[in-house]
Amino acid sequence: MSVPHKVGTVKSKQATNVKAPVAKVVKAAGKKKDEEEATDTAEGEEWMPGKTLVKPPDQLDLTEEELNEEITRVLTANNPNAPQNVVRYGFKEGCYKPIIFVDQMAIHFELEGNLVHKESDEGRRLMAKQAEREEGTGAEKLDNVAKAGEKERKLTNQFNFNERASQTLNNPPRDISCQTEPPPRANFSATANQWEIYDFYVEELKRREKSKEKQEGQVLNKEEDKSKKKIIQAETQSDDITQLAHAAKIIERMVNQNIFDEVAQDFMYFEDAADEFRGEKGTLLPLWKLQYDKAKGLSVTALCWNPKYNDLFAVGLGSYEFTQEERGMLLFYTLKNSSYPEFIFNTTSGVMCVDIHEQLSYLVAVGLHDGCVAVYNLKKKSDQPVYNSTASSGKHRGAVMQVKWQKDDLDSNHNFISVSADGRVVSWTLVKHELVFTDIIKLPATDKVPDDLKDVIATAGTSLDFHKQKDHHFLVATEAGKIHKGSKYYSSKFLETYDAHFMTVSRVRWNPFHPNVFISCGWDWMVKIWDQTIKSPIFTFELKTSVTDVAWAPYSSTIFAAITNDGKVHVFDLSINKYEALCQQKVVSKKTRLLHIEFNPVNPIIIVGDDRGHVISLKLSPNLRKKPKEKKGQELPKGPEVEIAKMEQLLSSLR
Amino acid sequence: MAEVEDTLKRIQGYNGVIGSIVVNAEGIPIRTTLDNSTTVQYVGLLHQLTMKARSTIRDIDPQNDLTFLRIRSKKHEIMVAPDKEFLMIVIQSPTE
């Protein structure tokens, strides 16, 4: 009766989900039972027609398909209890890393055995101990044996057997681990660009050169070395901003460019279109106005453009009044920074004239009001002149009115010539650290001076100019109104004398192109143009007040500009209009006198200095810069010959 | 030394200049005429930009180097002049 029931249960067991190893066992058991039951059922079926399958109430209901579905079982040797997410801290990466291979061994039972091999060390030791004990306790042995025997006879049954056990206290296990201090870490990053490598090589080169120099120069004084070391130390120690000078300069120029942006644009690009409709006339466009507040009260006494850097010019400041206090300045401005001068030199007395060397544009010669001449070197940062003439070395006894650099002499020493109010024309040579002077000529006394005083009262020279091609010829103008033409090689007499003006001649200049023409202007309101072969002037212009300066334009042989006491600039072009100025423009406010004018050698601008210490730059309009017109079909010949020809044409028309 | 200080003072006094900052090689402002937070912001941003610009110029030709950098915006113009160890920044608004 229980048989069919068993059959049913067995079958149900087969169908349920049981764990793998257990399932196998059950299956095996089930199979055995099945076989047994099969035989039983075979017998049982004879007398029990109906049999019902009894299912346990919680058995899964599966469809036929699901019952027939084959389920594969995989046996693995993994320990299901082993952890799968063990992590360890790795110092190399600085983070926790998971460990993939975990010990899969599951220990079910562990028993330490107490059998020791008799040949091993421990075995031998124990046997030796036992032998000792046997020898030692011979008497006790009998008792022991008897007791052992007795004990052996004692049977262990569940009523009579006592076993006592004790366990030592298991100390709670503790994990103590130690960790070394990790090595100190720092983040380092750098780039290795092509230019960084290049920089490094350049520095390496410099270092090697320095070490070479040091080796060569070890003969130098120790003192010099010490001073050098001090300087080097100071440079490396200072955390301050002396090295910022270059950047600060650039920034200042940029800021100025922004402020005077319109002016800069005008300077570069503005061409007055109205000139086409103005006929011959031209205009002057005011550009920058340069001033230095510490130069207040001083007048501009000299202007000179730098031949190499076309935006740099020198301004000499002093005073024409003899009663005013003696002080002077030499300033260098650049058009790129119109707010502050680039170089500032303070002089002990007023500067009267300035000249910059043609080739070495860092050498500047100045003539001072007290008769000294000085040479400054712009490359050196000092405030003092490199050379200075003193009373002993033949300085002038009157204010030096003009200085001009000459070509280097035969010993390749630099030299320059000065003319002063004491009537002497002197040549100065720069020899090592001194100025050596040579008198060239003395200006002849005027007729008005009585004979016996002729040696005492000097005729003051006011202006000096050297011929562009034959540079031994020069012109010197005097306060008396005469112009003398002389030569450096003749020290006793002048080659020629021209009665130029009734009053002081303020300026005399050779024409930059034509070899025979020069211009002069004086306080007698006149501007005169001369041919050196003719005693009387070719052109004479009368401007309404005394003319303080006149200058030829560097780009044309027939254009010149003159400035007068009333603040006007007059620009003439003889090839266009022989009688009138093309432009007469007032450029300063009332009561300011214009004192000096210079054309820029390259750009079409002029600078004008006034008696307030200001320098104003003006741009010449196109009408004032006209070149000779091209004839149709013919190419315009360029070069100084054209200019000479132009002048020659003019002159011949007058003769 | 005094000359540079003079120049800095002058620059600050020019028409339209809003502020000027001098930064040392590590990117720390050592002189400034603006308030702290603005300075720090300008320095941080412009330092990177200048380095990038300089790197660009030098990568193209290692013998070349950046002279200055100008950024004109609607409201004002930022001018940066880098040096070997320093950086000078000036902010100027157009004078109109």
Side-chain angles (χ1 to χ4, degrees):
Chain A
M1 280 173 221
S2 63
V3 167
H5 190 73
K6 272 187 184 175
V7 170
T9 50
V10 165
K11 274 196 180 164
S12 73
K13 269 191 184 173
Q14 279 184 331
T16 53
N17 243 346
V18 182
K19 273 194 179 163
V22 186
K24 213 185 181 181
V25 173
V26 170
K27 239 190 182 174
K31 268 195 180 163
K32 275 192 183 168
K33 280 190 184 168
D34 228 357
E35 283 170 69
E36 286 172 38
E37 255 48 77
T39 47
D40 283 349
T41 46
E43 289 174 314
E45 266 183 310
E46 284 174 45
W47 60 274
M48 209 163 213
K51 60 169 177 178
T52 50
L53 272 173
V54 180
K55 285 186 183 175
D58 56 351
Q59 191 185 58
L60 272 176
D61 281 330
L62 294 171
T63 58
E64 281 291 325
E65 296 160 0
E66 280 173 358
L67 281 172
N68 292 333
E69 196 184 330
E70 284 196 3
I71 299 171
T72 41
R73 293 194 174 282
V74 177
L75 291 175
T76 56
N78 283 345
N79 180 1
N81 289 327
Q84 287 163 341
N85 54 355
V86 177
V87 279
R88 289 263 137 77
Y89 186 77
F91 279 110
K92 190 173 164 197
E93 291 90 22
C95 64
Y96 286 97
K97 278 196 316 185
I99 294 189
I100 313 166
F101 298 107
V102 179
D103 206 7
Q104 300 291 331
M105 187 172 79
I107 297 173
H108 296 288
F109 176 73
E110 194 175 339
L111 173 69
E112 276 188 25
N114 55 5
L115 293 175
V116 177
H117 197 276
K118 63 179 178 179
E119 299 292 320
S120 73
D121 285 336
E122 207 180 330
R124 286 200 191 129
R125 250 187 283 141
L126 285 170
M127 281 169 70
K129 264 191 192 171
Q130 223 175 13
E132 275 179 36
R133 243 189 277 154
E134 280 172 3
E135 287 168 21
T137 58
E140 284 182 41
K141 248 193 178 178
L142 290 167
D143 295 339
N144 281 346
V145 168
K147 279 186 187 171
E150 283 182 26
K151 278 185 187 169
E152 280 176 75
R153 266 180 258 144
K154 199 177 186 181
L155 281 172
T156 56
N157 57 42
Q158 64 191 46
F159 303 107
N160 225 5
F161 178 68
N162 255 353
E163 190 176 306
R164 249 193 233 157
S166 70
Q167 191 176 344
T168 55
L169 180 67
N170 278 340
N171 290 324
R174 280 205 179 90
D175 265 323
I176 296 178
S177 58
C178 187
Q179 187 177 327
T180 55
E181 246 188 60
R185 315 170 90 227
N187 270 338
F188 173 76
S189 68
T191 46
N193 291 329
Q194 196 184 359
W195 52 271
E196 289 208 1
I197 298 168
Y198 173 82
D199 271 349
F200 184 77
Y201 273 112
V202 166
E203 272 181 43
E204 186 66 31
L205 258 173
K206 276 190 198 163
R207 252 180 272 156
R208 282 198 192 156
E209 278 176 22
K210 270 189 187 169
S211 63
K212 269 190 197 169
E213 276 174 33
K214 275 183 187 169
Q215 281 175 3
E216 285 169 22
Q218 265 173 3
V219 191
L220 286 173
N221 283 337
K222 282 183 188 175
E223 286 175 20
E224 278 188 36
D225 283 344
K226 277 182 195 168
S227 62
K228 271 183 196 171
K229 275 182 198 169
K230 275 182 195 168
I231 295 164
I232 295 166
Q233 273 176 3
E235 277 178 19
T236 49
Q237 274 170 10
S238 62
D239 187 36
D240 69 350
I241 48 177
T242 37
Q243 292 145 333
L244 198 57
H246 187 66
K249 200 175 203 176
I250 293 176
I251 287 263
E252 196 179 0
R253 287 190 181 185
M254 277 203 272
V255 170
N256 269 305
Q257 190 184 12
N258 278 343
I259 296 173
F260 298 109
D261 183 44
E262 293 157 0
V263 176
Q265 304 281 352
D266 282 345
F267 162 71
M268 271 312 284
Y269 304 116
F270 181 74
E271 302 292 349
D272 198 348
D275 262 14
E276 287 177 17
F277 310 108
R278 255 201 280 264
E280 299 168 337
K281 306 278 180 189
T283 51
L284 296 167
L285 178 73
L287 296 172
W288 294 278
K289 186 171 183 184
L290 303 108
Q291 58 206 30
Y292 182 43
D293 54 354
K294 292 206 183 134
K296 267 189 186 162
L298 294 172
S299 333
V300 172
T301 52
L303 291 171
C304 186
W305 284 100
N306 190 309
K308 190 169 172 198
Y309 300 103
N310 295 320
D311 57 288
L312 186 68
F313 62 91
V315 181
L317 292 155
S319 170
Y320 283 119
E321 310 289 328
F322 293 99
T323 48
Q324 274 193 352
E325 62 175 54
E326 290 270 329
R327 74 183 175 97
M329 278 185 158
L330 176 65
L331 301 176
F332 278 81
Y333 281 102
T334 169
L335 296 176
K336 292 176 191 167
N337 180 355
S338 54
S339 315
Y340 198 75
E342 291 290 303
F343 299 100
I344 304 168
F345 298 99
N346 283 303
T347 57
T348 44
S349 91
V351 172
M352 296 303 287
C353 52
V354 173
D355 194 30
I356 303 180
H357 199 278
E358 281 273 326
Q359 281 84 36
L360 308 168
S361 57
Y362 54 88
L363 281 180
V364 183
V366 281
L368 301 174
H369 197 229
D370 60 1
C372 282
V373 288
V375 177
Y376 286 88
N377 186 334
L378 293 179
K379 278 190 184 173
K380 306 225 167 119
K381 306 275 165 121
S382 75
D383 200 32
Q384 293 304 311
V386 178
Y387 299 92
N388 209 339
S389 73
T390 53
S392 58
S393 59
K395 76 167 194 183
H396 289 281
R397 271 159 266 137
V400 180
M401 299 306 286
Q402 189 88 43
V403 281
K404 284 274 178 204
W405 281 102
Q406 300 296 300
K407 290 201 186 122
D408 288 356
D409 64 9
L410 295 165
D411 298 328
S412 59
N413 288 326
H414 309 304
N415 62 339
F416 62 93
I417 291 188
S418 66
V419 68
S420 92
D422 68 354
R424 282 162 57 219
V425 178
V426 179
S427 155
W428 303 86
T429 315
L430 275 67
V431 178
K432 286 187 190 172
H433 295 287
E434 275 185 353
L435 279 173
V436 176
F437 82 100
T438 327
D439 255 354
I440 295 201
I441 199 162
K442 197 169 146 84
L443 288 169
T446 50
D447 302 323
K448 292 178 191 164
V449 176
D451 279 343
D452 30 339
L453 291 171
K454 263 191 183 164
D455 288 334
V456 179
I457 297 177
T459 39
T462 52
S463 182
L464 179 72
D465 196 24
F466 282 84
H467 198 270
K468 297 287 178 292
Q469 283 88 36
K470 303 177 220 164
D471 67 326
H472 50 91
H473 276 148
F474 62 88
L475 289 168
V476 63
T478 64
E479 254 183 13
K482 289 209 169 70
I483 299 177
H484 301 278
K485 184 174 77 171
S487 168
K488 277 202 293 193
Y489 305 129
Y490 291 114
S491 58
S492 54
K493 222 174 69 153
F494 283 105
L495 298 173
E496 196 82 55
T497 304
Y498 307 89
D499 285 320
H501 296 267
F502 303 114
M503 293 173 71
T504 311
V505 183
S506 46
R507 180 67 98 165
V508 66
R509 281 203 220 231
W510 286 103
N511 187 305
F513 296 100
H514 200 285
N516 284 347
V517 176
F518 63 90
I519 193 171
S520 71
C521 67
W523 290 1
D524 61 351
W525 303 6
M526 303 285 200
V527 174
K528 295 189 181 177
I529 298 180
W530 307 75
D531 182 330
Q532 68 169 338
T533 51
I534 305 172
K535 279 265 183 180
S536 61
I538 311 173
F539 289 99
T540 309
F541 299 96
E542 196 211 313
L543 309 169
K544 302 291 187 302
T545 65
S546 55
V547 187
T548 45
D549 202 356
V550 71
W552 287 106
Y555 48 84
S556 166
S557 62
T558 51
I559 298 181
F560 64 91
I563 47 173
T564 56
N565 243 358
D566 58 357
K568 278 196 184 164
V569 179
H570 307 257
V571 183
F572 290 81
D573 186 347
L574 297 172
S575 58
I576 295 177
N577 189 328
K578 287 200 277 260
Y579 306 104
E580 260 189 357
L582 294 185
C583 170
Q584 288 182 350
Q585 190 169 330
K586 196 165 155 69
V587 294
V588 281
S589 56
K590 278 186 191 175
K591 291 190 184 176
T592 325
R593 293 163 55 217
L594 290 176
L595 293 170
H596 281 275
I597 185 171
E598 285 286 343
F599 276 84
N600 185 312
V602 171
N603 302 321
I605 59 173
I606 51 173
I607 42 170
V608 182
D610 65 6
D611 66 346
R612 296 247 176 102
H614 301 164
V615 177
I616 303 148
S617 57
L618 302 146
K619 184 163 182 178
L620 300 158
S621 69
N623 268 352
L624 304 172
R625 295 168 4 217
K626 276 207 174 139
K627 300 272 167 95
K629 279 187 187 163
E630 307 165 21
K631 287 191 185 159
K632 286 182 187 173
Q634 267 185 5
E635 268 187 37
L636 184 66
K638 296 207 172 149
E641 292 83 29
V642 185
E643 304 293 337
I644 297 174
K646 214 175 26 161
M647 200 63 187
E648 198 52 49
Q649 219 180 6
L650 256 175
L651 296 173
S652 56
S653 68
L654 289 167
R655 282 191 202 129
Chain B
M1 166 73 175
E3 278 180 31
V4 179
E5 295 279 359
D6 268 345
T7 314
L8 287 178
K9 252 187 256 172
R10 261 183 299 155
I11 290 172
Q12 184 54 38
Y14 280 132
N15 202 359
V17 173
I18 298 172
S20 64
I21 305 166
V22 178
V23 186
N24 74 351
E26 288 147 29
I28 302 169
I30 51 178
R31 291 241 199 300
T32 174
T33 58
L34 301 164
D35 58 279
N36 200 23
S37 54
T38 320
T39 304
V40 166
Q41 198 181 21
Y42 267 106
V43 165
L45 297 166
L46 285 168
H47 192 68
Q48 291 175 34
L49 185 63
T50 315
M51 288 300 126
K52 187 76 186 171
R54 193 186 219 166
S55 186
T56 310
I57 300 284
R58 300 210 76 187
D59 273 345
I60 294 170
D61 176 13
Q63 292 183 326
N64 205 354
D65 196 6
L66 183 67
T67 319
F68 61 80
L69 186 65
R70 266 181 146 152
I71 308 166
R72 205 167 240 169
S73 70
K74 271 195 231 168
K75 293 192 185 167
H76 34 245
E77 178 165 342
I78 302 170
M79 292 174 275
V80 180
D83 195 51
K84 256 192 194 164
E85 290 182 23
F86 294 95
L87 195 71
M88 186 157 176
I89 303 166
V90 170
I91 305 129
Q92 189 186 17
S93 73
T95 53
E96 278 166 275

